[in-house]
Amino acid sequence: ADNKRNWRGQNLLGIIITMVRDQLMIEQTAINRYPAPITNEIDNPGEVESQNVHEHEVKENKNIKGYQRVLLDLMNDIMTEKQAEFQAYFYRNFNFDSIDTQNNYYKKLCKNGVNSLELLMCCDDNKFLTETVGLNMIHAALFTQRVDILKSEYKVFESWLYEIKMNEYLNIFRNRGILTFELFYNKIDGFQDLLNIIGAKNQIDAHLLWDNTPKAKRHTELQYEGK
């Protein structure tokens, strides 16, 4: 039990750190997309008419609103993709008595903030599942079993990225809802799909990532044996 609590605490801290890092990246993207207006230096501020000062302030305010708008747009894009992956995973991997029961559990999880696979990995507390989400004891046991499998598969995927020294892309994959090889292969079928995710400037890394996947290695071995 202590190990589970420690694991959950470490992962919650990791999620918080990731969210802060992502926010900084989003803010930089917003600044790049909506650059501040360039103005000439004012040699004699006292001689500038009040009307010109007012117009400058209006431009700055509009620019700030532009930042706020793109921040919201980018955050919604990220969360929407994470939520979509969570929803697909939930309905694909959790089977309860009826679709109504499953829908009810899904809605209560989302209502209580569990709307991504990262948060799902921290959702292994029986008291929360039974009292807050409303799972019966059998469903709660099945739920935690599946969560344990997800955590195990995530650990394999994470270790692979570290092993091939590509762990700098871990947060990018996490933000796209890719936490396991199953989820990786669901979205990525080759080099080009991978390039679309990690960026066109990372072509060499995209080749290295794909060539080092278990799937690509199996295909290479089969081709070699065929010769």
Side-chain angles (χ1 to χ4, degrees):
D2 290 337
N3 289 335
K4 280 193 173 184
R5 280 194 294 271
N6 290 336
W7 189 95
R8 185 159 55 247
Q10 291 169 3
N11 277 272
L12 283 172
L13 179 60
I15 290 168
I16 292 170
I17 293 172
T18 298
M19 290 174 66
V20 172
R21 185 184 301 140
D22 291 345
Q23 178 66 22
L24 292 174
M25 292 173 63
I26 288 169
E27 289 176 357
Q28 186 59 52
T29 302
I31 291 170
N32 292 338
R33 187 178 296 182
Y34 292 92
I38 299 174
T39 57
N40 297 324
E41 292 185 2
I42 301 172
D43 296 329
N44 299 306
E47 297 178 3
V48 178
E49 296 180 1
S50 60
Q51 180 65 30
N52 291 336
V53 173
H54 175 70
E55 289 177 358
H56 178 73
E57 290 176 348
V58 168
K59 288 181 180 178
E60 289 295 331
N61 288 335
K62 286 182 178 179
N63 198 57
I64 291 171
K65 289 180 180 179
Y67 292 161
Q68 293 171 341
R69 183 176 66 255
V70 74
L71 281 173
L72 288 174
D73 290 344
L74 291 171
M75 290 186 71
N76 285 337
D77 288 343
I78 291 172
M79 292 307 297
T80 298
E81 189 160 11
K82 278 187 169 184
Q83 290 170 355
E85 285 299 325
F86 168 70
Q87 183 185 61
Y89 185 91
F90 180 85
Y91 283 98
R92 187 169 61 246
N93 291 281
F94 293 97
N95 295 305
F96 301 107
D97 296 335
S98 67
I99 188 63
D100 288 337
T101 300
Q102 193 151 352
N103 288 340
N104 183 48
Y105 291 162
Y106 173 76
K107 289 176 182 178
K108 285 190 176 180
L109 283 169
C110 292
K111 183 179 179 181
N112 286 279
V114 182
N115 58 3
S116 74
L117 293 174
E118 293 168 283
L119 293 173
L120 181 63
M121 289 195 292
C122 301
C123 190
D124 57 0
D125 180 62
N126 273 329
K127 185 176 181 180
F128 169 76
L129 293 173
T130 55
E131 295 184 8
T132 304
V133 184
L135 277 69
N136 61 42
M137 293 303 294
I138 295 175
H139 289 171
L142 294 172
F143 190 97
T144 53
Q145 285 178 9
R146 184 65 237 185
V147 169
D148 286 340
I149 292 173
L150 173 61
K151 288 191 289 189
S152 177
E153 291 176 345
Y154 169 71
K155 203 66 183 173
V156 171
F157 182 72
E158 181 186 45
S159 298
W160 169 70
L161 285 173
Y162 275 93
E163 182 182 339
I164 64 174
K165 299 185 182 349
M166 292 286 175
N167 48 292
E168 65 263 36
Y169 295 109
L170 181 59
N171 286 334
I172 292 177
F173 289 130
R174 286 168 61 158
N175 284 334
R176 302 296 291 266
I178 302 172
L179 276 68
T180 69
F181 277 113
E182 177 190 358
L183 297 167
F184 181 92
Y185 294 139
N186 283 345
K187 281 198 169 188
I188 301 168
D189 195 35
F191 162 77
Q192 190 58 53
D193 292 335
L194 194 50
L195 194 64
N196 292 338
I197 289 176
I198 69 171
K201 294 181 180 180
N202 300 308
Q203 290 193 24
I204 294 176
D205 283 356
H207 277 296
L208 290 172
L209 276 164
W210 180 253
D211 291 343
N212 278 283
T213 60
K215 184 177 183 179
K217 285 187 172 182
R218 285 194 301 271
H219 289 180
T220 301
E221 289 173 2
L222 287 173
Q223 289 175 357
Y224 180 78
E225 291 173 2
K227 292 180 181 179

